């Protein structure tokens, strides 16, 4: 019932000190009653130095004079010099369950992944089978062909000629730390001739113990106990099953983790600071939306107070952090 919104201003404005833009998003975070999962994801993205990390600010929304609750104001995922700064011949695509509802989309030949366009899109005059469409579809088909070939581990003939391994490793680390079951899968090609990056990190609502899927891929519907903190989430999803079977990619993940983990305490402290900043607004939100103690969506657990919801985030993340560190040592 609490809706997210897109905003399009009549002119570009530097909202809350962020670079000027017309387009912004208001995230409702209805099911994340802590309001801290997106903050944790984006703070981890920052300390991982993921090139395309979106900004975020907490706001209380008044819609036509009526209080509508606490929201997160973020950038829109789009090509822009102050957002995803790519060349005019670059691409932003999304592995998207709803791709077929978009005006233009494609399916890869090898793994049948469905992709929609963020740039160029139908407003930028991309149409099926034009030059841009054929280029990125051909690129993704060639990438999958190389990744799932017999010599996929070869440095020259394998997948490494197509993907930026560091960006894939960073995305994997952030999302596995969060145990994030339902992120948006964005990919960026800076220009023709560039390598494919995974970015930005987006959508953390079903992370940090709040949800999980059963072995058949359906959402677990057994509320009461959070997801086990030591359950693998992304090792066996999308392209990571194959990537993580390659000793080279494993070495990239370990090297990136050795660097990133030294800055994780700063990310956690930043989220603690967010918690202190929003505490009054968060409690105010639940006067409008009295859902504490209830199970909206597919959530596995609930608490009766916002403080308990927020406390859980930090306790669970610390458990998952310790598990992930030992997991990499044992598995990679």
């Amino acid at each position: 019932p609490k809706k997210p919104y897109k905003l399009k201003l009549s002119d570009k404005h530097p909202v809350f000190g962020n670079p000027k833009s017309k387009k912004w998003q208001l995230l409702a975070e209805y099911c994340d009653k802590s309001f801290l999962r997106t903050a944790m994801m984006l703070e981890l993205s920052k300390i991982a130095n993921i090139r395309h990390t979106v900004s975020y600010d907490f706001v209380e929304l008044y819609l036509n004079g009526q209080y509508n609750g606490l929201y997160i104001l973020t950038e829109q995922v789009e090509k822009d010099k102050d957002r995803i700064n790519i060349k005019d011949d670059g691409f932003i695509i999304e592995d998207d369950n709803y791709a077929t509802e978009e005006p233009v989309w494609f399916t890869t030949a090898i793994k049948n992944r469905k992709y929609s366009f963020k740039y160029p899109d139908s407003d930028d005059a991309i149409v099926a089978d034009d030059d841009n469409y054929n280029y990125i579809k051909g690129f993704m088909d060639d990438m999958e062909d190389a990744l799932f070939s017999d010599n996929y581990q070869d440095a020259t003939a394998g997948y490494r000629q197509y993907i930026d391994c560091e960006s894939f490793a960073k995305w994997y680390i952030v999302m596995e730390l969060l145990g994030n079951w339902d992120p948006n899968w964005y990919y960026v090609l800076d220009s023709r001739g560039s390598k494919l990056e995974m970015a930005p990190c987006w959508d953390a609502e079903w992370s940090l113990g709040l949800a999980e899927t059963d072995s058949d891929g359906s959402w677990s519907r057994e509320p009461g106990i959070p997801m086990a903190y030591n359950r693998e989430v992304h090792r066996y999803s999308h392209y990571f099953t194959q990537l993580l079977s390659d000793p080279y990619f494993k070495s990239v993940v370990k090297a990136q983790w050795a660097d990133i983990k030294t800055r994780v305490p700063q990310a956690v402290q930043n989220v603690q600071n967010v918690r202190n900043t929003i505490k009054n607004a968060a409690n105010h939100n639940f006067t409008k939306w009295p859902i504490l103690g209830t199970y909206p969506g597919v959530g596995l657990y609930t608490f009766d107070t916002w403080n308990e919801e927020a406390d859980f985030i930090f306790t669970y993340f610390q458990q998952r952090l310790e598990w992930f560190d030992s997991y990499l040592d044992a598995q990679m």
Side-chain angles (χ1 to χ4, degrees), residues 255-267:
Q256 289 299 316
W257 176 237
D259 176 55
I260 291 168
K261 73 178 180 180
T262 63
R263 296 187 294 277
V264 169
Q266 183 59 59

Side-chain angles (χ1 to χ4, degrees), residues 79 86-93 104 116-127 130-133 136 189 192:
K79 177 185 179 295
I86 59 176
K87 308 294 192 303
D88 289 343
D89 66 341
F91 295 86
I92 307 168
I93 58 175
V104 186
S116 60
F117 290 87
K118 300 301 176 183
Y119 178 84
D121 62 16
S122 55
D123 292 339
D124 302 304
I126 189 171
V127 295
D130 71 4
D131 182 60
N132 278 327
Y133 180 97
I136 192 61
L189 195 67
R192 297 193 187 197

Side-chain angles (χ1 to χ4, degrees), residues 213-218 231:
T213 64
D214 296 325
S215 57
D216 63 358
S218 63
R231 183 174 176 187

Side-chain angles (χ1 to χ4, degrees), residues 80-236:
D80 187 90
K81 66 181 181 65
D82 293 313
R83 291 189 172 176
I84 300 181
N85 187 15
I86 59 176
K87 308 294 192 303
D88 289 343
D89 66 341
F91 295 86
I92 307 168
I93 58 175
E94 181 183 3
D95 188 337
D96 187 358
N97 290 331
Y98 303 100
T100 56
E101 299 177 12
E102 298 293 330
V104 186
W105 56 279
F106 68 89
T107 303
T108 56
I110 308 299
K111 302 305 288 185
N112 296 315
R113 308 286 335 165
K114 291 179 172 58
Y115 285 93
S116 60
F117 290 87
K118 300 301 176 183
Y119 178 84
D121 62 16
S122 55
D123 292 339
D124 302 304
I126 189 171
V127 295
D129 295 322
D130 71 4
D131 182 60
N132 278 327
Y133 180 97
N134 289 334
Y135 180 86
I136 192 61
K137 184 183 186 310
F139 179 95
M140 295 302 290
D141 285 345
D142 290 345
M143 182 276 289
E144 287 189 353
D145 188 47
L147 180 59
F148 293 95
S149 67
D150 290 340
N151 60 349
Y152 74 102
Q153 297 183 17
D154 186 273
T156 303
Y159 67 89
R160 282 186 250 173
Q161 63 184 305
Y162 295 102
I163 77 167
D164 181 305
C165 290
E166 288 189 1
S167 78
F168 275 64
K170 289 175 179 180
W171 190 97
Y172 165 75
I173 288 167
V174 169
M175 293 304 179
E176 197 66 48
L177 278 174
L178 294 168
N180 188 1
W181 281 101
D182 196 27
N184 288 44
W185 298 76
Y186 288 119
Y187 298 85
V188 174
L189 195 67
D190 189 70
S191 66
R192 297 193 187 197
S194 299
K195 292 186 178 183
L196 192 70
E197 299 177 66
M198 280 202 80
C201 294
W202 188 269
D203 195 351
E205 192 164 43
W206 298 121
S207 67
L208 292 174
L210 187 55
E212 65 181 331
T213 64
D214 296 325
S215 57
D216 63 358
S218 63
W219 288 108
S220 174
R221 301 285 180 172
E222 299 292 334
I225 302 174
M227 181 188 87
Y229 67 83
N230 59 353
R231 183 174 176 187
E232 298 168 309
V233 174
H234 288 298
R235 184 181 181 90
Y236 302 108

Side-chain angles (χ1 to χ4, degrees), residues 23-57:
K23 297 177 182 179
W24 305 86
Q25 303 256 18
L26 283 165
L27 307 181
E29 305 294 272
Y30 182 74
C31 296
D32 176 14
K33 289 174 281 184
S34 75
F35 285 97
L36 298 175
R37 287 176 168 82
T38 292
M40 186 69 82
M41 177 183 69
L42 295 178
E43 292 298 337
L44 289 171
S45 180
K46 286 179 188 177
I47 60 102
N49 294 317
I50 291 178
R51 187 159 74 99
H52 307 294
T53 298
V54 302
S55 65
Y56 72 100
D57 293 276

